[in-house]
Amino acid sequence: MGRQLPRKVGRRGRGAHHELAVGCVALAAASLALALPAALRAADYEAAVPAPEAVLGYALGERVTDYAGMERYLAALAEASPRVVWGSYGADYEGRELRYAVVSSPGNLARLEAIQAATARLSDPRGLGEAEAAALIDETPAVVWLNYGTDGNETAGLESALLMAHHLAADAEPATRGLLDEAVVVLTPAMNPSSHERWASWSNSFAALPRGNPDPLAMEHHPPWGVLTNNNHYLVDLNRESFWATQAESAALRDLYYRWHPVVFVDHHGEYDDFTGPGYEEPLNPLISEGQRRWFDRFGRAIGERFGRLGWSYSPWETGSFYPGFWESFGFLNGAIGFTYETIGGGSRGLRFRREDGSVVTLELASRQHFEASLTVIATAVGARRELLGDYLEFWRSARAVAAAAPETVFVIDPAGDPARAALLLEVLTGNGIEVYRAPAPVEARGVHDYFGRRWTSRRFAAGTWWMPVDQPRARLLLTLMRRDFALPEITLAAAEEFRRNQEKAGFVNPKIAGTTYLFYDVTAWSMPLTYGVPAYWAEEIPGDLTAGRLERLESPAPSPPPPAPAEASYGYVFSGDGIAATEMLVDLLQRDVVLNVAYDGFTIGGRSFPRGSVLVRNERNPGLDLRSVLAAAGERHGVAVHAVDGTYAEAGPSMGSDRMVHVRRPRIAVLAGDPVSTRSFGDLWFTFEDLYRLEFSAVYREQLDEQGLARYDVLVLPDGSYDAASFPADWLAALRGWVSRGGTLVCFARASGWAADPEVGLAATRLRPAEWPPAAGETGDPPPRRAPEVPGAILRALPDPHHHLTFGYGEETAVLVWSDIAFEPDPAVAAPVALAPLEDLRLSGFAYEDSLARLAGTPYLVDERLGGGHLVLFLDDPAFRVYWRGLSRLLLNAVLLSPNF
């Protein structure tokens, strides 16, 4: 199997395949036989080191290399070359070991642990003297990380990884040997094996071998729904969740990254018209250092010059990198020069593809472009290694200045309200090396703000709160994840207005500008206390040094002691409905067919008060069950205290026998799959149901949901997607209306909700507001109404109705994401369990045009419409968005689990 480093087991993540083997070095690469690019055919390769085609049996571009082929090649390469070591760093959900390799000089490979220690020391320069810093910079190779296959269906990445591995391992030229003396190259050839293997199987089964059919209409370029997606097994987008690391593959790569602390991190993607790489425009994260900005331009110019000599086109990015979930952002917020490549072929373009201008691009050429660009980056990094390492050190040293300039001195999280949800947030912070402390005694802070706009001159926080001083090496990352709102630069705000004016001009056409994504590329708000729904604060001032004996460092969330088992009860048992753990326990008990009731109102019994949404489980309704043992075990699994009830009379609120204790039966749930459903929205929901809550459901195509098919289910969820009035045939819509009227619950997200509210569809009484806002008043001289643009991913304040079952578990206000151009028209005849706040209080974080906010102000975020005996539940946006919007998961589960019973 070649030379491998010892396998080391790291922290277990969530899910069936989350065991992380954080080894020292390992290569993940699916390999297609790579014919040498023209620029390298004269290279002097060592005959003893096999080229990919010698192991795989085919040449570059003849097929898509599968994962097993990549593993065979890496094993052969490590066996033959003293410059390569490889191993595994975790596993994906389908059981494949995640592979990575390190390529360097034999001398560097012999001291990898010392190199890792040196880069770690540079990334935490507290107490680092000038002499020691100079020695580290002088002696430490530049760690350059080449990451491939984040979007696994963009197949040029894996092929290029094999080409790069072979070249660095086999080239006998002095120049290459010199590079490896000065650099350690870490390769992760296929970060996302599931996506890669789906597409490799399709392409190798249906492409016209050996070189593919370039016709854009050929079958090989048009796979079925779910095959071409660039997302993982659960169809979750790994390139939007780097720091959050909700997925096994992301968590494994994050943990591996923090063993190496690279100074350059390159994420390889594909399928643009021209190769695109470093050289960004605003908006950029404002905390990127000036040194990093210079290096973006420097690397981009070097690649552009190399491509010019080869006769290839190169384009620097014409968009910014503001949203932090990309892996390039992960790199630059950890001090590296992080950037993304997009090459010209592979993926849906298959082995060959004819572009609109008649030119043909190939998988081989796309792989070569990735190779040449990354080889240029390695050479540029080595040529200025000391300067690059010096700038890397300065990034970490300048964290103190960043902290001093920030209005936030410390962030505070109060875990008491929902410890389980707070622990999820803490896992993200500590998993990314952010220093978090626990207060063993009360601590007072001054100039305290919460995330909903309230301010206190001073506030005393109880023992047990978590404190994150901004003055720490990862100040930039802490501020990025925890700051409530990032202001966009003036140049971007001006561009937003110019964009809007141009869109309103008659005849203005730019096919590349479909919406505000041109300006922002992704959502403009992500503040973790808001997305996780955790009470948090930031303070302008704290008395003295918090960490000087007043706080205890937390490495990870401390496990809570299991709650005591309930006493034997003659009547039954109750547990509070507040908190994410209670929601998990409710799902668990329903899956076990425990008969239970949910309280419509709060109540007090036995001297204990329980909020609305709490759960009652009665002995008489569960004959044959050892209910005390079942509930004690469930309470221990979920960390939920269960209390015995010996009588039915409540001191306050409804009695245990009241019809306001609503029986909740286990619903049979279907989720629509296939066109026009968004694979990403489907995937986020799939993971939320299956992995986070272990909630059983069936993913079903529309063709199976005829009248008889619908009758098998109580709930049907329509994720976001490209719905329109013609999405489904009239007979299916009639069957759907009949199913809802007979008691079914239809839950719609985002554009599915807009579709349901379309009068031509005829499902909902709810209507959408007109796109033009404000409506014309009709007075002479009034300006004409303007079309309100979409809200490009802002976080808004929403107000839950305290008397509706869908808002169990919520207080007076909550945060929601809006990334759309739709708004519901308020209707007094239709329940709005959650409404958006008035305009003056609406925006919490992110960018939105003022008239877009005015159009949304006071309108429903969530609609619950009765249709005969059933429910039509419409979410304005996607409550499972990217999995990390945990603050809305209870709202989603209330809709799915409770609506059929209310």
Side-chain angles (χ1 to χ4, degrees), residues 103-104 141-148 160-161 163-165 167-169 175-187 263-266 268 295 298-299 302-303 339 341 370-385 388:
V103 188
S104 192
V143 177
V144 178
W145 191 306
L146 305 179
N147 187 56
Y148 304 87
S160 181
L163 175 58
M164 179 65 74
H167 175 72
L168 295 178
T176 299
R177 292 181 180 274
L179 289 181
L180 297 181
D181 285 336
E182 300 284 319
V184 172
V185 180
V186 180
L187 297 102
V263 294
V264 177
F265 182 90
V266 184
H268 298 70
W295 278 103
R298 189 164 175 175
F299 281 123
I303 297 169
F339 47 82
Y341 292 157
H370 267 328
F371 168 82
E372 291 288 350
S374 289
L375 196 60
T376 302
V377 165
I378 296 170
T380 303
V382 167
R385 180 183 62 81
L388 184 59

Side-chain angles (χ1 to χ4, degrees), residues 329-687:
S329 307
F330 187 92
F332 63 62
L333 284 170
N334 277 299
I337 313 305
F339 47 82
T340 296
Y341 292 157
E342 297 280 359
T343 190
I344 59 173
S348 64
R349 293 183 171 185
L351 306 179
R352 284 195 300 161
F353 186 84
R354 183 178 297 109
R355 296 187 285 196
E356 290 184 359
D357 64 3
S359 61
V360 173
V361 295
T362 66
L363 176 61
E364 178 187 13
L365 178 58
S367 303
R368 288 174 55 193
Q369 290 195 347
H370 267 328
F371 168 82
E372 291 288 350
S374 289
L375 196 60
T376 302
V377 165
I378 296 170
T380 303
V382 167
R385 180 183 62 81
R386 288 178 177 82
E387 181 185 354
L388 184 59
L389 286 170
D391 285 346
Y392 181 76
L393 174 60
E394 178 56 29
F395 172 91
W396 296 103
R397 281 180 165 169
S398 64
R400 300 212 71 170
V402 169
E408 308 94 339
T409 298
V410 66
F411 294 97
V412 186
I413 294 174
D414 183 0
D418 192 343
R421 197 192 305 272
L424 296 173
L425 190 155
L426 186 63
E427 283 181 357
V428 176
L429 298 176
T430 57
N432 284 288
I434 290 171
E435 296 172 3
V436 182
Y437 300 85
R438 178 185 176 275
V443 178
E444 185 170 346
R446 291 188 283 271
V448 177
H449 304 251
D450 76 359
Y451 282 71
F452 287 91
R454 288 175 284 267
R455 185 183 186 279
W456 296 262
T457 302
S458 66
R459 181 173 176 130
R460 190 171 178 82
F461 292 95
T465 50
W466 300 336
W467 295 72
M468 287 139 281
V470 177
D471 187 5
Q472 58 175 287
R474 287 192 163 82
R476 290 178 171 90
L477 177 53
L478 174 60
L479 289 167
T480 295
L481 296 180
M482 291 291 291
R483 177 172 278 174
R484 192 186 88 168
D485 193 25
F486 271 93
L488 288 162
E490 288 298 325
I491 190 172
T492 300
L493 297 176
E497 285 302 323
E498 181 183 10
F499 159 81
R500 188 167 185 194
R501 289 193 298 271
N502 284 337
Q503 289 291 81
E504 292 172 343
K505 291 177 181 176
F508 175 78
V509 176
N510 187 334
K512 298 183 72 173
I513 303 178
T516 51
T517 51
Y518 164 74
L519 298 168
F520 307 112
Y521 200 74
D522 210 276
V523 296
T524 62
W526 53 83
S527 179
M528 285 185 63
L530 295 174
T531 64
Y532 277 73
V534 173
Y537 309 84
W538 60 270
E540 301 169 21
E541 185 179 353
I542 49 177
D545 183 2
L546 275 174
T547 61
R550 301 177 60 196
L551 301 178
E552 302 166 347
R553 176 78 178 268
L554 292 174
E555 297 298 335
S556 62
S560 301
E568 191 72 45
S570 59
Y571 180 72
Y573 303 87
V574 296
F575 61 88
S576 170
D578 277 352
I580 195 171
T583 307
E584 293 171 353
M585 185 159 162
L586 174 64
V587 174
D588 188 353
L589 295 177
L590 287 174
Q591 305 277 95
R592 297 169 189 272
D593 293 319
V594 175
V595 178
L596 52 81
N597 295 68
V598 172
Y600 190 82
D601 295 310
F603 62 94
T604 301
I605 191 166
R608 288 190 177 90
S609 294
F610 295 88
R612 56 194 297 268
S614 294
V615 178
L616 166 66
V617 189
R618 295 183 275 201
N619 290 323
E620 63 172 324
R621 303 298 174 91
N622 291 278
L625 271 185
D626 180 357
L627 202 54
R628 178 175 179 270
S629 296
V630 168
L631 292 174
E636 184 173 352
R637 281 194 301 276
H638 301 287
V640 173
V642 179
H643 305 279
V645 176
D646 289 320
T648 66
Y649 183 79
E651 292 102 80
S655 72
M656 301 302 96
S658 168
D659 60 5
R660 300 183 79 74
M661 295 289 180
V662 180
H663 168 55
V664 175
R665 69 185 188 278
R666 175 182 179 178
R668 301 165 298 169
I669 303 167
V671 175
L672 189 68
D675 292 328
V677 173
S678 159
T679 54
R680 290 181 179 178
S681 180
F682 176 88
D684 293 342
L685 183 62
W686 179 9
F687 186 82

Side-chain angles (χ1 to χ4, degrees), residues 193-351:
S194 301
S195 171
H196 180 83
E197 291 298 272
R198 276 196 305 269
W199 181 248
S201 177
W202 168 267
S203 179
N204 292 334
S205 297
F206 293 99
L209 299 177
R211 293 289 176 177
N213 184 342
D215 182 355
L217 300 182
M219 174 180 64
E220 61 197 74
H221 303 296
H222 299 279
W225 184 89
V227 171
L228 186 57
T229 171
N230 54 6
N231 305 323
N232 73 345
H233 168 82
Y234 280 108
L235 304 183
V236 174
D237 187 349
L238 301 185
N239 196 33
R240 299 297 192 279
E241 64 131 33
S242 61
F243 291 106
W244 290 272
T246 71
Q247 302 299 289
E249 301 90 343
S250 299
L253 191 71
R254 176 199 64 191
D255 292 351
L256 182 66
Y257 184 101
Y258 287 132
R259 293 180 63 85
W260 284 98
H261 304 284
V263 294
V264 177
F265 182 90
V266 184
D267 202 25
H268 298 70
H269 290 258
E271 301 174 71
Y272 268 40
D273 281 345
D274 293 307
F275 191 96
T276 304
Y280 294 94
E281 295 184 3
E282 293 288 0
L284 288 168
N285 185 305
L287 300 178
I288 295 174
S289 72
E290 288 303 315
Q292 288 173 313
R293 290 171 184 258
R294 290 194 304 272
W295 278 103
F296 289 151
D297 182 68
R298 189 164 175 175
F299 281 123
R301 288 181 182 277
I303 297 169
E305 290 172 5
R306 174 62 176 159
F307 274 39
R309 290 195 297 271
L310 292 170
W312 297 338
S313 295
Y314 175 80
S315 173
W317 282 100
E318 295 178 350
T319 57
S321 190
F322 188 65
Y323 171 70
F326 301 112
W327 283 98
E328 64 181 21
S329 307
F330 187 92
F332 63 62
L333 284 170
N334 277 299
I337 313 305
F339 47 82
T340 296
Y341 292 157
E342 297 280 359
T343 190
I344 59 173
S348 64
R349 293 183 171 185
L351 306 179

Side-chain angles (χ1 to χ4, degrees), residues 17-58:
H17 301 290
H18 274 260
E19 183 173 310
L20 305 184
V22 187
C24 227
V25 279
L27 169 54
S31 57
L32 217 172
L34 295 173
L36 292 176
L40 293 178
R41 286 194 176 119
D44 181 13
Y45 285 121
E46 296 179 0
V49 180
E53 58 266 32
V55 175
L56 299 171
Y58 51 87

Side-chain angles (χ1 to χ4, degrees), residues 818-834:
V818 175
W819 191 11
S820 74
D821 60 356
I822 67 171
F824 296 131
E825 188 68 62
D827 185 341
V830 176
V834 180

